[in-house]
Amino acid sequence: MSKSFMLFIASAALATLSACGGGGSSSSANPVGPPGTGGGGGNTGGTIITPTVVTVAAGGTVSGVDIIVPSGSPGLNAVVLGTAAPNSTTASASSTGDVIHRGATRRVLIFGTGLSSKVEITISGPRDIAVTNPQTISSDTGKPGVEFTAVVDPNAALGARTVRLRFGNDVATFTGGLEVIP
């Protein structure tokens, strides 16, 4: 065999061995980075990538990143949610939502951009909470809102529910905003 052919074989063998990676890790760490950075799940030894903060303005452009920021403001936005007894004259709402008991009938109030009795209201999970009588309301500070009656089945599944609001193509959710408790 020629000297150059043997050198080629040795180089190919070395390249194959180095490509195999070899070795392993039993580390309990689970580093995760953004997609495409090699930081996938499991004990793969990926690196944690420091996030890059990108500041954008509505309708503006940014170089070096692939994002789109639509101009304008959202058509619907659910900001606070609360519950009250059906005949109560006072009620409050918070950004963390509220609880509702199995078998209860409560008024649910949600305030935010674009909310009115015209929105379609649905609640995630089993169909054990009936939504009736939506009405347009306003907060003490003038924030628009919607109020509806929620009737909870006595055997309703326990846990957090998401309230979905839809008007045309606009959708807003209050994720986990209504929690069914015993």
Side-chain angles (χ1 to χ4, degrees), residues 13 78 80 94:
V80 293
S94 80

Side-chain angles (χ1 to χ4, degrees), residues 112-129:
T113 306
L115 300 183
S116 74
S117 63
K118 294 179 181 179
V119 299
E120 176 188 345
I121 303 164
T122 56
I123 299 176
S124 69
R127 295 180 183 223
D128 51 13
I129 301 176

Side-chain angles (χ1 to χ4, degrees), residues 15 46 92 96 99 109:
S92 65
T96 58
V99 298
L109 304 90

Side-chain angles (χ1 to χ4, degrees), residues 139-161:
S139 71
D140 292 341
T141 61
K143 175 88 66 195
V146 63
E147 171 186 316
F148 61 91
T149 302
V151 181
V152 184
D153 186 278
N155 298 309
L158 300 177
R161 308 290 182 92

